[in-house]
Structures are given as structure tokens and as C-alpha cells.
Amino acid sequence: MPKTVTVRGLTIGAGIPKICVPLVGESIAQLKEEAEFLKNVDLDVVEWRVDFFDQVEDIEQVKIALVEIRSILPNTPLIFTFRSHKEGGNKEISTAFYFELNKTISETGLIDIVDIELFNDEKEIKELIEDAHAKKVFVIISNHDFHKTPAKEEIISRLRKAQELGGDVPKIAVMPTSTADVLTLLDATNTMNELYADRPFITMSMAGKGVISRLAGEVFGSALTFGAAKKASAPGQVAVKELRNVLNLLHAGL
């Protein structure tokens, strides 16, 4: 039985997949407005996509914004994510700054989970995991392919690599170019779940074709899904209310 991850009383990896909603404000004012809006949304986790924040290159401003977000959402599990430009993010920054930002913010104690991309230097990833764990911050190790869906074996290999590096929640998101690609992602998810996973993990097939993967996680093994409240942070995200209804419907049939 795969291990679970419990954050602020929320158990990821058991039962219905948890719903995560992005914060994508460009300014502190927008982030505060979004966070206030999310207080009344039926979500489980919030992900601050800090690559949308226009002052992200000033770590002090990032900290100020984070304090504001946390004051509005004091008990909500919070993921801190700078999505790199090469993996579909909104901004380009240096690798050195990427690690400095994630390390500094992990040390604030204001976030619960930090997202680190798999395709980085292994030594730096491991050091960041160690730093995060010292502050009781969990780590998602993620990979995003916005152009294609790799072969089933490659998807599994990347998830296993994230697991071996010490990530608490491996994650992969891929782009389908056909319906068969969606089946490849779901098949890889199922095999990972049945044969290799010793912790919760997240998979999704993006865009319209891949929507089924965002809904059927409990069937195939994905522990968390991303929904949209006001603005989506990736193609194919479903509105939270509809997402919750479908997740409950599928759960009732299992």
C-alpha cells in the first residue's frame, strides 16, 4: 500500500483525489483578491504559481506576498511553484536563482509543499529536498511535456526517478496529440500505481483530449488533480465545482 502524505490534516494518497487550485495573480493586490475568492471555493490545496508574479525576481517581495496569502488562507495546504519557461511556465530565470528562491521560501515555514522540476542537477535537487524536509516542507518533483506524450516506459521511468531522488510526491503532466496518447498516460499511471509507487504521485494528460485523466485519478492511481477557480494555469483544467461532482460520482462507483 503506497504511503500517504498528510498536510495540515489533509491526506494525499487516500480516497478521492485532492483538488488543487492555482493562484496566478501578477501583483500582491491581485494575489490578495484571488486568495479571498478561494476562501469560498470547495478546494483541498492551493498552488501559488509564483512564475506569474511580476516581482518574482525580488525574493523579499515574494516573501511579502506569501505572508499576505498565508494570512488570508491560514489553514489551507499551500504549494509553492515556480514553473520554468522550458516546462510551460510564465518566466525565464537562471537555474541558480531558481534554487535560491525555492530554498529561501522553503525556509520561511509559510509553505507546506515546494515543487521542484526533475530535469535539474541531481545534487542540487537532493540538497533542496534535505533543506525542505528540515523545515517540515514536503517536495513534489515534477516534469511537464507541453509538446508530446512520451512512451509508457519513459513516463514510468521519470516518476520512479522522482521517487528515487526522495520526492514526496512525484508528478508528470504530458500533452496528448491523439486519444491513444491519453490511454498511454493512464496505462503508465496504472502500472506505476500497481508495481512501483511507494508514495502518492500525480499524473495528467493535458488539454481537452486529456480531461478524462483529471477526472479518473482514483481509478488509475493519481492522487491529486488541478482545477480552475477563476483562471486556469494549464490547458484542460476543469472548473472546481464540476470537478468535485465528477470525483464524487466516480468514488461512489468504486
Side-chain angles (χ1 to χ4, degrees):
M1 187 73 183
K3 289 184 289 188
T4 56
V5 167
T6 300
V7 186
R8 293 182 185 266
L10 179 80
T11 302
I12 299 169
I16 299 177
K18 304 308 177 280
I19 295 175
C20 180
V21 174
L23 268 176
V24 291
E26 294 175 13
S27 65
I28 290 177
Q30 285 180 10
L31 286 165
K32 287 169 70 175
E33 184 186 331
E34 262 190 280
E36 287 287 354
F37 179 78
L38 293 184
K39 279 165 71 172
N40 299 307
V41 173
D42 182 19
L43 55 79
D44 299 303
V45 182
V46 167
E47 178 185 42
W48 181 18
R49 278 288 303 274
V50 72
D51 52 294
F52 284 90
F53 182 48
D54 57 15
Q55 291 181 282
V56 67
E57 289 169 79
D58 183 339
I59 290 181
E60 286 309 309
Q61 289 301 312
V62 175
K63 285 183 184 176
I64 290 166
L66 181 57
V67 168
E68 294 287 357
I69 292 166
R70 186 47 93 193
S71 69
I72 296 166
L73 300 168
N75 302 311
T76 304
L78 182 63
I79 303 171
F80 181 84
T81 301
F82 185 99
R83 181 67 58 237
S84 72
H85 199 255
K86 69 180 184 289
E87 296 211 9
N90 203 45
K91 276 193 183 69
E92 189 82 73
I93 58 171
S94 71
T95 302
F97 183 73
Y98 174 84
F99 277 97
E100 182 190 354
L101 174 68
N102 283 302
K103 181 177 188 294
T104 304
I105 297 304
S106 294
E107 288 172 351
T108 64
L110 293 171
I111 63 169
D112 301 296
I113 304 172
V114 63
D115 180 303
I116 302 301
E117 290 171 357
L118 174 64
F119 289 152
N120 278 298
D121 180 79
E122 281 188 25
K123 183 170 176 286
E124 288 191 279
I125 292 173
K126 286 179 177 175
E127 285 174 3
L128 189 51
I129 291 171
E130 204 172 294
D131 288 338
H133 285 172
K135 296 292 179 181
K136 297 187 165 44
V137 172
F138 292 105
V139 180
I140 289 172
I141 295 187
S142 65
N143 174 241
H144 304 76
D145 192 327
F146 274 78
H147 304 291
K148 65 184 185 307
T149 297
K152 173 187 175 182
E153 293 73 21
E154 178 62 19
I155 293 171
I156 293 169
S157 171
R158 292 181 194 179
L159 288 167
R160 292 183 72 187
K161 180 72 173 174
Q163 189 168 270
E164 286 158 16
L165 284 169
D168 301 292
V169 186
K171 175 192 173 190
I172 193 166
V174 298
M175 185 63 75
T177 58
S178 65
T179 310
D181 280 348
V182 181
L183 292 174
T184 296
L185 181 279
L186 292 173
D187 189 18
T189 305
N190 186 58
T191 299
M192 179 72 187
N193 189 47
E194 291 190 344
L195 299 183
Y196 305 113
D198 62 6
R199 63 203 67 195
F201 66 96
I202 303 164
T203 66
M204 73 207 68
S205 181
M206 292 184 280
K209 277 190 175 71
V211 164
I212 184 66
S213 71
R214 296 181 182 275
L215 306 175
E218 190 174 1
V219 178
F220 295 95
S222 181
L224 184 145
T225 188
F226 291 79
K230 275 192 170 180
K231 184 181 172 187
S233 63
Q237 285 179 0
V238 179
V240 172
K241 189 176 179 185
E242 284 77 9
L243 184 55
R244 180 71 75 190
N245 288 340
V246 174
L247 294 176
N248 286 338
L249 185 67
L250 285 171
H251 180 73
L254 291 175

